[in-house]
Amino acid sequence: MPALDPGSTALVLVDLMERIVALPLAPRPGTDVLAASARLADAFRDAGAPVVHIRVERPHVDTQPPGSELVPDLVRDGDHVVVKRTIGGFQDTGLHELLAGLGATTLVLGGIATNLGVESTARAACDLGYELVFAEDAMAALTADEHRASVDLDFPRLGTVAAASAITLDGPE
């Protein structure tokens, strides 16, 4: 996979919240997804590329469930946080406007769950014209079959699927 341009690429991590990372996931545990995502985020920051975290809030409730914050130490100074209230990250969140303002035309996606939040966000991003790269080992789902269906059947139609270690950036702008 060729190196990506940090001036036009953003990392988008979906629902890496304590209660979601702690779920029984497949084909890898949430801690492995978190580790791969953190390595990607560090690489993006080092290259001067934006990191965007999306977290979900349940609508129409006074209090969110325990563990609804992003995993501690995941978000760093300069990162962006978007709150969604639907499965995907674009609906009524300002994500598209944020990404456009950052100059992002390519998105690298990771998070939980592969077939829900990540895929819904990816489908909307594709409709909006973004080029997509999927960090396969920075994702998991509730079952391995759900993860594989997205990674093997759907994501190749929307963009490029790669291991997180294969995703590199050209360096600082």
Side-chain angles (χ1 to χ4, degrees):
M1 159 156 218
L4 300 170
D5 176 3
S8 62
T9 305
L11 175 64
V12 178
L13 299 172
V14 180
D15 292 339
L16 294 179
M17 301 154 46
E18 291 179 303
R19 67 182 169 83
I20 294 176
V21 170
L23 292 170
L25 301 168
R28 62 191 54 87
T31 52
D32 288 2
V33 172
L34 187 59
S37 297
R39 285 190 299 273
L40 273 173
D42 286 342
F44 271 67
R45 292 180 196 110
D46 289 347
V51 176
V52 179
H53 306 272
I54 300 173
R55 71 176 182 85
V56 67
E57 284 187 358
R58 293 181 181 170
H60 315 297
V61 298
D62 292 332
T63 306
Q64 297 299 311
S68 290
E69 294 301 318
L70 292 165
V71 171
D73 299 323
L74 182 62
V75 180
R76 302 283 170 81
D77 288 343
D79 290 0
H80 305 272
V81 176
V82 172
V83 176
K84 65 181 179 124
R85 290 174 181 83
T86 59
I87 294 173
F90 281 95
Q91 181 68 36
D92 297 325
T93 64
L95 178 59
H96 179 53
E97 294 77 12
L98 170 66
L99 293 168
L102 294 169
T105 57
T106 300
L107 306 181
V108 174
L109 293 163
I112 302 169
T114 309
N115 61 310
L116 294 170
V118 177
E119 185 167 335
S120 182
T121 300
R123 287 175 181 272
C126 186
D127 287 345
L128 291 166
Y130 292 95
E131 296 293 321
L132 301 177
V133 177
F134 299 93
E136 188 278 331
D137 52 340
M139 299 180 206
L142 294 176
T143 68
D145 287 343
E146 291 170 308
H147 175 81
R148 290 262 69 92
S150 291
V151 169
D152 293 343
L153 301 175
D154 298 332
F155 291 169
R157 293 181 172 124
L158 303 175
T160 301
V161 178
S165 61
I167 300 169
T168 59
L169 294 115
D170 287 328
E173 293 180 45

